[in-house]
Amino acid sequence: MTPTPAALAPPTLAIDVHDLVKRYGPRTVVDHFSLAVERGRICGFLGPNGSGKTTTLRMICGLLTPDGGSGTCLGHDLVRHRERIKRETGYMTQKFGLYEDLTIRENLEFVGRVYGLDRLKQRVDQSLDRLGLTTRQSQLAGALSGGWKQRLSLAACVLHEPRLLLLDEPTAGVDPKARRAFWDEIHSYAAQGITVLVSTHYMDEAERCHEIAYIAYGELMARGAALDIIRHSGLSAFVATGPGADRLAIRLRDAPGVTAAAAFGATLHVCGPDREALMRAIEPFGNDPAIVWQEAEPTLEDIFIHLMGTARDNAPGA
Amino acid sequence: MRWLVARRGFWARLGAIIVKEVLQLGRDRLTFAMMFGMPIMQLLLFGYAIDTDPHRLPTAVIAADQSQITRTVLSALANTGYMSFTHRPVSEEEANALLQRGEVQFVVTIPSDFTRRLVRGERAQILIDADATDPMAAANPLAAAGPAINQALARDFVGPLAGLRDRPDAVELVVQRRYNPEGKSRLNIVPGLLAVILTMTMVMMTALAVTRERERGTMENLLAMPVRPIEVMIGKIVPYIAIGSVQVIVILLVSWLLFDVVIEGSIPLLSAGTALFITVNLAIGFTISTLTQNQLQAMQASFFMMLPSILLSGFMFPFRGMPVWAQWLGEALPATHFMRIVRGVMLKGADLGDVSAPLVALVAMLLIVSTLAISRYKVTLD
C-alpha cells in the first residue's frame, strides 16, 4: 500500500477529521470542525439543535461531501473511500430509517442482503434473539413502539459487524427504561472494540460516555471526559434549599454574573463564570434564614448552557 | 472484519432491493388493486367512446393512366381535403409496403385503361386501399371520395362526352379496407389503450417508489449502506416490469374475450416491443422521482407525462389529424412509438422491419432517460 495520509494516521484513531466545513448557501453549518476519537471509545456528541451535529455525522459516514477539510474514518479517506467507510460503519439516522411496511425480520434480512452477508438466516436469528424480538419477528416494524424501533435500528446497524457506530440522537423520545437498555447495548458493543459516536441531548447519557464533544453553531466548544470538562470549566455554582428557594429562579436568571438559574424541584441551582460576581448576585437573597446556600460543582448542563451563550451565533434562528 | 462479509456484490444487493420492493408492493393492497382494476375500467370506458375526423392524410398514387380525366379525378380527391398525395410509388408492392409501415393512409390506383373505358362508356374503376386500423380516420375520406369524383367529372363531360353526364355512376370506386375490414374502432382503441395504461401506471409507480423513500426518511438509511445507484434503479424497476407484463396480458385477454381483438403479427415481437416500452416508462418514472421532492410532486409530474401521452400519441385523435407542432411533441413521447408498434404488429401483422423505426426511437429514449436518471440519482445527501 502506498503511504496515503490514511496509512500514516495513528492507527488507534477510529475517527480523525480536521477542519471540516459544510455550507448551505450563505450559511456555514459546520465551521472548521476537528475531532479525533480513539478506537473502542464511546464519544458523546452534544450541542443545541441546529448546531451541526447531524451534518457532521453525515460527513463522517460519507453521506455528505465536506466543502472543506479532510480526514479519515477507520483509516479510510472521507471523500475518496466513501464506499469502504459505508461498509465498515453503522449509521443510525435520527428518524426511523427502516421500512415500516416490512416486518422486523424482513427489515433485518434486507439490510443483511445489501451488505452481502453470509449465513444471513443465522445472523438475523441471532440478532432477533439478542433483541428479544424472536416472537414478534413477523410484526410490521411500523407497529413497534419508539423504544423498540430504536433498538431494532441499532440491531440493523450492527448486523454487518461494523467497527464504528454513528448514532444520531438514538434515544430521542424514548422512555427511561428503554434508554437504559439501549445504553447497555452501546456499552456492550464498545466492550467488543466498536467505536461509538453518539449524539444526544440527555445529560445523563453524556455522563455514560467515555468522553464528550460539545459543538455549538458548527464549532467544537469543549472536548474530554465529563469529569474533566466539569473540573476545567471555570464555572462556579451554588445550590439553594429551603421553602421558596425554587421561586428565586426567575429573579436571579437575568442578574449580572448569573449564567443560569434553574429550579430542580424545591431546590435552586445557579451558576456563573465568575465566583465573586455570582456571590454578589445571590447576596440579596442570602438573608432569608429559611434558605440555605451551598457551593456546589457545576453540572454538565450548566457548562453547556454557558458555552451556548458564549458561542458565536453565526446562524440566528438556527 | 472483511472475511465476515461474503464476496457477493452486485447480485446480492440487487436481489436485496428486488425482494424488498416485492414485499412492499404486496403490502400496499390498495395500489395493487388499483393497478389491475384501473386498466379494465379504462378499457371499458375508452373502448366505447372515441370519435374523430382528420384531414390531409398522406396518400400514395399509382396512376398508370395519364390524361385530363385522371388529373380531374385526382384533384377532386385532393379537393375533398381528406387526401394529400405524398407518394408516387411505381409498383403495387411498393405501395403496399408504404401502407404496411403506416407511412400512407390510402393508396389510390388508377388502372391504365381507365380513360379509355370511361370514354367508351364501359365500367371504369378506381381502386382505393385504405389503412383502416383507425377506422375513424378512414371513414370520412372514403365516404367523400365517390361523390367528389363524379361531380368533378360531370364538369369535364362536355362535347362528345356530354352523354356520360347523365350517368352518376360513370366511375366506380372500389374500396378495400385493409387490416380492419369491418371498420371496428375498438380494434384500434385496444392497442392504443395498452400504451396509455402502461404509461399511466408504470411512470407513476416508479416515480412514487423513490420519492416515498425520501418522504418516509428511509432514503438516508439506504444511502448510508453500500448500495449503488444502478442497483437501486434496476432493483426498483424489475418488480414493476413484471407487473406491467401482467397488465398487458390482462388487457390482451380482456380485449380478446370482449372485443374479439386478435394479434395478427408475431407475439414475440409484440412482447419485445412491450417490454422495451415498459422499461422506458419505468426509467422516466425513476427520473421524475429524482427530480421531485415528495410524492405529490411526483404524482403531478407523472400526470404531465400522461396527458400528452393520451392526447398527442395518436390514441385519442388520429396522429395525422393533429397540427404539425403537436405531431412533433407526439414524436417525443414513447407512447406514440409504442402505439405504432402495437397497431402495426397486432392489426397489420407487421414484421421487425416494418416497426424498426419506432423500436429504434424507443431504444434511444431509454438510453437518454436512463443516463439522466443515473446522473441525477445521488449517493450522498448533498
Side-chain angles (χ1 to χ4, degrees):
Chain A
M1 219 176 129
T2 52
T4 59
L8 295 172
T12 55
L13 291 181
I15 298 174
D16 187 20
V17 296
H18 305 280
D19 293 319
L20 288 187
V21 176
K22 186 70 191 176
R23 294 185 198 91
Y24 288 114
R27 269 187 59 198
T28 304
V29 179
V30 175
D31 194 5
H32 293 91
F33 177 87
S34 303
L35 181 70
V37 180
E38 277 180 40
R39 293 203 168 156
R41 304 282 279 179
I42 302 174
C43 178
F45 198 22
L46 290 100
N49 289 329
S51 56
K53 296 192 298 290
T54 300
T55 308
T56 306
L57 288 177
R58 284 175 175 172
M59 283 194 282
I60 293 173
C61 71
L63 271 179
L64 284 176
T65 318
D67 294 321
S70 62
T72 60
C73 181
L74 299 169
H76 306 305
D77 186 86
L78 271 197
V79 179
R80 281 179 298 141
H81 299 135
R82 215 172 249 164
E83 290 308 311
R84 285 186 216 168
I85 294 175
K86 282 183 182 179
R87 271 190 184 284
E88 296 174 33
T89 304
Y91 171 54
M92 184 172 156
T93 54
Q94 197 168 343
K95 201 178 159 197
F96 184 61
L98 296 173
Y99 298 95
E100 301 208 338
D101 51 353
L102 292 186
T103 67
I104 294 164
R105 185 179 193 96
E106 285 162 358
N107 267 304
L108 290 173
E109 283 175 346
F110 169 66
V111 172
R113 285 197 196 102
V114 166
Y115 285 101
L117 301 183
D118 58 355
R119 298 181 287 113
L120 183 63
K121 188 185 177 305
Q122 197 184 334
R123 283 170 196 268
V124 170
D125 283 342
Q126 272 170 7
S127 177
L128 286 168
D129 190 43
R130 182 172 183 155
L131 273 171
L133 282 175
T134 307
T135 53
R136 298 173 68 187
Q137 55 177 288
S138 355
Q139 279 185 15
L140 295 186
L144 289 173
S145 69
W148 279 109
K149 272 186 187 166
Q150 297 310 85
R151 292 188 60 197
L152 174 62
S153 298
L154 182 63
C157 271
V158 297
L159 198 64
H160 66 290
E161 305 187 18
R163 294 194 288 149
L164 171 67
L165 277 178
L166 301 169
L167 312 174
D168 195 0
E169 294 190 24
T171 54
V174 169
D175 70 60
K177 185 162 169 276
R179 269 173 59 196
R180 174 151 293 193
F182 194 93
W183 273 88
D184 289 343
E185 279 169 52
I186 292 181
H187 272 275
S188 80
Y189 291 128
Q192 294 167 26
I194 299 175
T195 312
V196 183
L197 180 59
V198 50
S199 78
T200 180
H201 284 298
Y202 297 110
M203 293 306 142
D204 59 316
E205 291 188 352
E207 283 162 5
R208 290 197 70 172
C209 298
H210 295 131
E211 57 196 58
I212 292 165
Y214 185 82
I215 183 176
Y217 307 110
E219 284 180 276
L220 187 66
M221 305 293 295
R223 180 83 179 91
L227 282 177
D228 290 335
I229 289 180
I230 291 171
R231 207 167 293 144
H232 298 116
S233 68
L235 287 187
S236 301
F238 288 88
V239 171
T241 42
D246 53 313
R247 308 229 175 94
L248 299 177
I250 303 159
R251 297 163 69 180
L252 270 168
R253 195 163 288 155
D254 297 319
V258 175
T259 303
F264 289 89
T267 67
L268 173 74
H269 187 96
V270 284
C271 76
D274 180 351
R275 190 166 177 275
E276 300 303 316
L278 188 64
M279 285 177 78
R280 272 197 302 279
I282 60 176
E283 201 173 5
F285 308 100
N287 301 329
D288 188 338
I291 296 176
V292 183
W293 288 89
Q294 273 180 314
E295 183 150 18
E297 276 224 311
T299 63
L300 268 182
E301 196 165 289
D302 290 335
I303 296 160
F304 293 149
I305 288 170
H306 170 70
L307 287 173
M308 225 161 113
T310 56
R312 177 172 57 92
D313 186 356
N314 64 349
Chain B
M1 198 60 50
R2 181 64 42 108
W3 58 271
L4 286 165
V5 178
R7 293 190 178 273
R8 282 176 294 152
F10 179 82
W11 293 109
R13 295 188 294 264
L14 179 58
I17 301 270
I18 293 174
V19 169
K20 186 205 88 137
E21 288 295 316
V22 169
L23 286 170
Q24 285 185 308
L25 267 173
R27 208 130 286 151
D28 197 348
R29 294 283 156 78
L30 185 70
T31 308
F32 218 69
M34 215 176 70
M35 280 190 291
F36 295 103
M38 203 168 69
I40 296 173
M41 255 187 58
Q42 286 178 326
L43 194 60
L44 297 175
L45 211 74
F46 289 117
Y48 291 109
I50 288 168
D51 194 351
T52 42
D53 183 22
H55 287 72
R56 299 191 56 75
L57 298 164
T59 304
V61 177
I62 306 177
D65 181 17
Q66 305 276 355
S67 70
Q68 175 60 38
I69 290 178
T70 59
R71 277 191 290 278
T72 305
V73 167
L74 290 178
S75 67
L77 286 174
N79 286 339
T80 60
Y82 284 117
M83 292 184 189
S84 161
F85 302 126
T86 52
H87 296 75
R88 292 203 174 263
V90 290
S91 67
E92 205 177 319
E93 290 74 43
E94 199 188 326
N96 280 336
L98 286 170
L99 210 54
Q100 180 87 348
R101 286 199 300 270
E103 286 180 35
V104 296
Q105 184 85 31
F106 304 105
V107 175
V108 177
T109 310
I110 301 179
S112 55
D113 57 353
F114 174 74
T115 308
R116 199 179 55 210
R117 292 177 74 99
L118 188 70
V119 171
R120 283 188 194 160
E122 288 171 25
R123 192 173 225 217
Q125 288 183 325
I126 291 177
L127 180 67
I128 299 184
D129 290 283
D131 174 353
T133 50
D134 186 347
M136 285 304 159
N140 288 342
L142 293 177
I149 292 170
N150 283 311
Q151 265 177 35
L153 283 177
R155 285 192 295 273
D156 276 12
F157 292 155
V158 290
L161 295 176
L164 290 168
R165 219 183 275 177
D166 301 325
R167 292 185 42 198
D169 55 345
V171 174
E172 188 191 353
L173 202 60
V174 180
V175 172
Q176 282 190 5
R177 286 186 173 81
R178 298 273 194 96
Y179 316 122
N180 182 6
E182 291 166 59
K184 288 189 283 193
S185 64
R186 62 184 68 142
L187 231 52
N188 181 46
I189 298 291
V190 167
L193 266 183
L194 254 188
V196 168
I197 290 168
L198 286 178
T199 304
M200 289 180 80
T201 51
M202 294 296 107
V203 172
M204 196 174 352
M205 289 302 144
T206 28
L208 294 184
V210 183
T211 39
R212 185 163 52 229
E213 298 251 10
R214 202 171 298 137
E215 220 167 70
R216 292 189 185 170
T218 52
M219 191 50 122
E220 187 181 357
N221 203 36
L222 192 60
L223 289 176
M225 294 193 270
V227 62
R228 292 201 300 259
I230 185 85
E231 293 157 355
V232 175
M233 181 167 160
I234 300 177
K236 278 192 170 285
I237 280 178
V238 166
Y240 292 99
I241 292 184
I243 286 182
S245 310
V246 176
Q247 280 191 328
V248 171
I249 293 167
V250 168
I251 293 170
L252 292 181
L253 276 178
V254 172
S255 307
W256 175 56
L257 293 172
L258 295 183
F259 299 127
D260 299 322
V261 178
V262 291
I263 301 164
E264 294 289 339
S266 134
I267 291 181
L269 179 60
L270 183 66
S271 311
T274 308
L276 180 61
F277 178 64
I278 288 173
T279 314
V280 174
N281 278 326
L282 293 174
I284 290 173
F286 196 90
T287 309
I288 288 177
S289 73
T290 62
L291 296 168
T292 52
Q293 288 308 309
N294 58 49
Q295 296 194 57
L296 192 66
Q297 289 174 6
M299 195 85 147
Q300 287 169 326
S302 309
F303 270 105
F304 261 113
M305 176 77 206
M306 284 169 210
L307 278 178
S309 293
I310 294 172
L311 299 173
L312 305 180
S313 63
F315 168 63
M316 206 76 137
F317 309 109
F319 195 76
R320 296 201 181 95
M322 301 193 305
V324 177
W325 62 267
Q327 291 195 13
W328 277 109
L329 277 181
E331 292 286 349
L333 296 167
T336 307
H337 299 279
F338 180 61
M339 204 94 68
R340 288 174 190 163
I341 296 171
V342 180
R343 284 179 178 168
V345 177
M346 272 188 80
L347 305 180
K348 298 185 186 177
D351 59 24
L352 184 61
D354 294 325
V355 294
S356 59
L359 279 174
V360 168
L362 285 183
V363 170
M365 286 179 186
L366 179 62
L367 291 177
I368 293 169
V369 173
S370 313
T371 311
L372 182 64
I374 291 176
S375 69
R376 286 283 316 174
Y377 180 87
K378 291 181 189 140
V379 254
T380 61
L381 292 167
D382 288 301

